[in-house]
Amino acid sequence: MIDNPFHGADTRDVDYVLGRIAKRLSSRFTGVFGPETVERYVFESYMYLHRTVRLQTHLPALTENFATERLTALAQVEGNIDKPVPEVLFLCAYNAGRSQLAAALAERYAQGKVHVRCAGSHPADWLDQNVIEALGEWGVDISRAYPKPLTSDILGASDVIVTMGCGDACPVLAGKRYLDWDIPDPAGQDLPFVRTVRDDVDARVRALMDELTLATS
């Protein structure tokens, strides 16, 4: 059994919920991974997230989403499934501001022609509220997004890795294309400042998505 991350909840209930998630994902990844690998990824993903996710009641759904992303990335790294489109990863320290801005805007412009992920070297437990509001002004809703830790599978599956202020905490893998964007950290800043960060990120993301989608057209 895993340590109980719920206050007052029965650890057996947590194991049961995670076991159900693992069973669903085992069916989804039949022929790609065995049940033991899937179960390990589900429980590991849960442990990653429960340390930082503020609303514990959302953890089962977030765990399934995160484990699916990680298993998909691992299958790509191992050559078990194809990459239909380029994979882009946006990284910052806390995955609460810049990388979330970039990922949300990239998904908007790529229109499915690029697969976008984001992560943080030291993920926070919530997104910056002014970042949510600044994107909301443009009709982009990230209220359901959550900070995610950087894992080796996600990193390994990425074709382009964009770093924004995570310094030496962002590992460098040979054979990957790295871009380092010098963008101010919006954390703790007022909304007008965050808007300038949003606009800066937007211009860079547009250019990158134009380049990548043109290359795959």
Side-chain angles (χ1 to χ4, degrees):
M1 284 188 181
I2 64 172
D3 293 335
N4 185 3
F6 291 134
H7 296 296
D10 191 325
T11 305
R12 290 171 296 182
D13 294 337
V14 178
D15 288 337
Y16 174 77
V17 170
L18 297 184
R20 291 289 298 271
I21 293 171
K23 186 175 181 179
R24 285 195 296 272
L25 293 186
S26 291
S27 295
R28 180 169 178 173
F29 287 94
T30 297
V32 180
F33 296 118
E36 297 82 3
T37 298
V38 173
E39 183 177 90
R40 175 169 60 85
Y41 263 66
V42 168
F43 277 70
E44 186 181 78
S45 296
Y46 189 91
M47 296 305 293
Y48 274 134
L49 294 178
H50 94 75
R51 300 187 185 102
T52 56
V53 171
R54 177 180 286 184
L55 297 176
Q56 300 281 297
T57 54
H58 293 171
L59 268 174
L62 298 183
T63 296
E64 187 160 356
N65 176 274
F66 188 43
T68 300
E69 278 289 315
R70 294 185 60 216
L71 287 164
T72 300
L74 180 63
Q76 291 173 336
V77 170
E78 294 183 348
N80 294 323
I81 61 174
D82 294 331
K83 288 185 184 181
V85 295
E87 301 278 340
V88 176
L89 174 64
F90 294 99
L91 286 178
C92 67
Y94 305 114
N95 194 217
R98 290 166 289 188
S99 56
Q100 292 283 353
L101 277 167
L105 292 169
E107 287 181 353
R108 183 187 214 190
Y109 300 134
Q111 298 183 341
K113 295 180 180 178
V114 176
H115 186 223
V116 179
R117 296 184 176 104
C118 65
S121 54
H122 301 90
D125 56 356
W126 67 87
L127 267 59
D128 187 285
Q129 187 58 43
N130 281 338
V131 167
I132 295 174
E133 186 168 344
L135 282 172
E137 292 174 347
W138 286 4
V140 180
D141 182 10
I142 62 165
S143 60
R144 298 193 177 204
Y146 59 98
K148 296 172 284 295
L150 175 62
T151 58
S152 59
D153 34 66
I154 295 293
L155 188 69
S158 302
D159 301 305
V160 180
I161 300 167
V162 181
T163 61
M164 292 172 276
C166 52
D168 293 340
C170 291
V172 177
L173 292 184
K176 304 294 180 180
R177 178 187 175 189
Y178 280 83
L179 300 173
D180 185 34
W181 290 355
D182 185 12
I183 296 171
D185 189 352
Q189 301 294 334
D190 60 21
L191 186 55
F193 183 90
V194 174
R195 288 185 182 121
T196 67
V197 174
R198 175 199 62 193
D199 295 349
D200 185 2
V201 171
D202 181 67
R204 296 170 189 256
V205 165
R206 280 179 183 266
L208 179 59
M209 292 302 106
D210 284 347
E211 174 197 335
L212 293 176
T213 56
L214 181 64
T216 57
S217 298

